[in-house]
């Protein structure tokens, strides 16, 4: 029997894959080495002639179960999991690009993703940042040596929505690898494959795991890109099914060579946490919309950044693409209100840097996660000096709204 529902597929994924002894969760395999009675079996695993595990840096049975689950969620042909979301992002860049290549990326990106572009430039990879809310801006930035376009679905923290569909069409026309970071929407709110994404990157630490107790990241190959046309695939990996060449190179040159492996313990936590993703995100998104509307009408709030508001520049686009508008709400306090003093007056809100947690988290953006960027770069990214970023949790809506109201009233 095949299940169509998002959560039904999730909660039965491990069991239907054939877990031993009737277990409903995949077991945790903590072994680093994997031994074989016959030496030739080990040789065949190393040479890719036989399916199996040799060393936990590349794979474990526990990771296989999680990767199968992520591939199902992303409607992809294969997925790889990593120790963190940044390990996934860095590995994609450094295994698929080489000196002399060019990448076009959204200007509105997670701070560490922007930071890694400086590293790429040091290796001779050109990077052009553009306002990707317009696919025309991406097209104008393309060069003869452009190999890849990289965007996020909802920007952190100012919530810009890039032209996901338009960029997908552009990448298909030009034969470019289209990489979409789906972290802030997750596969529950949006399927990047629907806009032509080649690779989907997700920080599993966020809405997939949901409980703030495990780091992890993933890369999924949608099967839409023709890797036989991509010049950067090493000759040794140009064998077998061409649709697997890209993900195989990411695995061999990334997990094996760079070692950004996910532990089986973390994989288990993320896998179990994922089962409630739809339930959590329904509440988180509903809370976020209610809070955004309340803040938008408050006299001590200068501006609210949330795609669910009609005033948001890309509200129509978000409505067409996403199941809901996400659970990230940012806002600028009115002049004269200190960010830290305001946050200290909240009771439910936790002063912390993270996203997708069951608990509502908040921080002053310019003074923390974007401090190193500098004033000029913050302004170019649409980040004010009084911006508060909130990752909305699953608390009862009235409790959450009351907490923000009382903190604003006394500020």
């Amino acid at each position: 029997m095949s299940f169509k529902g998002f959560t039904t597929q999730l909660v039965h994924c491990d069991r239907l894959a054939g877990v031993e002894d009737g277990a409903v969760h995949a077991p945790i395999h903590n072994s680093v080495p994997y031994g074989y009675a016959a030496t030739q079996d080990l040789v065949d695993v190393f040479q890719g002639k036989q399916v199996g595990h040799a060393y936990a840096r590349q794979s474990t049975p526990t990771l296989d179960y999680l990767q199968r689950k992520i591939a199902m969620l992303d409607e992809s042909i294969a997925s790889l999991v990593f120790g963190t979301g940044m390990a996934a992002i860095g590995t994609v860049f450094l295994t698929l690009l080489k000196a002399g290549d060019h990448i076009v990326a959204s200007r509105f990106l997670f701070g560490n993703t922007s930071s890694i572009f400086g590293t790429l430039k040091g290796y001779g990879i050109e990077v052009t940042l553009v306002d990707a809310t317009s696919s025309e801006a991406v097209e104008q930035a393309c060069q003869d040596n452009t190999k890849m376009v990289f965007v996020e679905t909802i920007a952190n923290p100012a919530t810009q929505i890039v032209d996901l569909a338009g960029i997908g069409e552009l990448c298909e026309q030009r034969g470019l690898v289209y990489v979409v970071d789906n972290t802030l929407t997750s596969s529950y709110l949006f399927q990047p494959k629907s806009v032509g994404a080649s690779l989907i990157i997700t920080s599993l630490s966020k809405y997939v795991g949901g409980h703030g107790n495990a780091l992890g990241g993933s890369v999924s190959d949608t099967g839409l890109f023709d890797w036989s046309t991509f010049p950067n695939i090493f000759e040794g990996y140009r064998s077998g099914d061409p649709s697997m060449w890209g993900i195989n190179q990411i695995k061999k040159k990334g997990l094996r060579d760079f070692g950004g492996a996910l532990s089986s313990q973390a994989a288990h936590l993320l896998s179990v946490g994922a089962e409630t993703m739809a339930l959590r995100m329904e509440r988180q998104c509903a809370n976020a919309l209610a809070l955004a509307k309340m803040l938008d009408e408050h006299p001590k709030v200068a501006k609210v950044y949330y795609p669910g508001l009609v005033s948001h520049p890309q509200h129509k686009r978000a409505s067409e693409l996403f199941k809901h508008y996400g659970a990230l709400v940012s806002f600028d306090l009115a002049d004269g209100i200190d960010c830290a003093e305001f946050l200290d007056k909240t009771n439910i809100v936790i002063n912390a840097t993270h996203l997708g947690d069951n608990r509502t988290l908040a921080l002053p953006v310019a003074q923390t996660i974007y401090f190193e960027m500098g004033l000029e770069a913050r302004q170019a990214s649409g980040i004010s000096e009084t911006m508060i970023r909130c990752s909305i949790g699953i608390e009862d809506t009235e409790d959450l709204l009351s907490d923000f109201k009382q903190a604003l009233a006394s500020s």
Side-chain angles (χ1 to χ4, degrees), residues 61-271:
T62 306
L63 300 187
D64 280 357
Y65 277 102
L66 178 59
Q67 286 169 168
R68 186 183 296 113
K69 185 174 293 185
I70 299 302
M72 177 192 72
L73 294 176
D74 286 341
E75 299 181 357
S76 295
I77 60 172
S79 295
L80 289 174
V81 292
F82 295 80
T84 66
M86 283 309 303
I89 290 172
T91 299
V92 165
F93 292 154
L94 293 174
T95 59
L96 296 180
L97 300 173
K98 62 183 180 180
D101 288 341
H102 175 247
I103 178 173
V104 180
S106 172
R107 180 185 302 148
F108 313 116
L109 294 173
F110 174 53
N112 288 122
T113 305
S114 297
S115 177
I116 203 172
F117 288 137
T119 302
L120 295 183
K121 291 176 182 178
Y123 290 123
I125 298 169
E126 298 178 59
V127 180
T128 301
L129 301 178
V130 301
D131 180 351
T133 59
S134 164
S135 59
E136 288 78 11
V138 176
E139 184 173 19
Q140 291 172 8
C142 287
Q143 305 171 174
D144 292 340
N145 60 336
T146 303
K147 297 291 193 302
M148 180 181 291
V149 175
F150 181 92
V151 300
E152 295 175 0
T153 52
I154 300 178
N156 167 20
T159 71
Q160 297 94 338
I161 312 293
V162 303
D163 186 0
L164 291 159
I167 296 171
E169 293 174 4
L170 171 67
C171 289
E172 182 181 11
Q173 293 167 4
R174 289 179 170 262
L176 303 176
V177 178
Y178 185 22
V179 184
V180 177
D181 187 326
N182 198 35
T183 297
L184 286 185
T185 33
S186 84
S187 52
Y188 180 62
L189 300 186
F190 176 61
Q191 289 291 349
K193 185 175 183 178
S194 68
V195 294
S198 312
L199 299 174
I200 303 169
I201 294 180
T202 306
S203 172
L204 304 177
S205 322
K206 310 303 191 297
Y207 296 100
V208 175
H211 294 75
N213 58 358
L215 289 168
S218 66
V219 178
S220 295
D221 190 320
T222 63
L224 297 179
F225 187 78
D226 183 3
W227 293 104
S228 67
T229 66
F230 192 64
N232 291 358
I233 299 296
F234 289 84
E235 193 60 38
Y237 302 145
R238 289 180 173 272
S239 61
D241 184 357
S243 68
M244 297 298 291
W245 289 0
I247 202 79
N248 285 341
Q249 180 157 305
I250 294 170
K251 180 177 182 179
K252 296 292 187 181
K253 304 303 294 182
L255 286 174
R256 185 190 65 190
D257 293 1
F258 292 131
L262 179 68
S263 74
S264 290
Q265 291 277 3
H268 179 74
L269 291 171
L270 293 168
S271 183

Side-chain angles (χ1 to χ4, degrees), residues 45 63 115 127 266 282 285 293 311 317 319 358 367:
V45 168
L63 300 187
S115 177
V127 180
E282 284 289 332
C285 293
K293 289 180 176 179
S311 59
R317 179 179 294 166
S319 300
N358 283 330
Q367 296 80 10

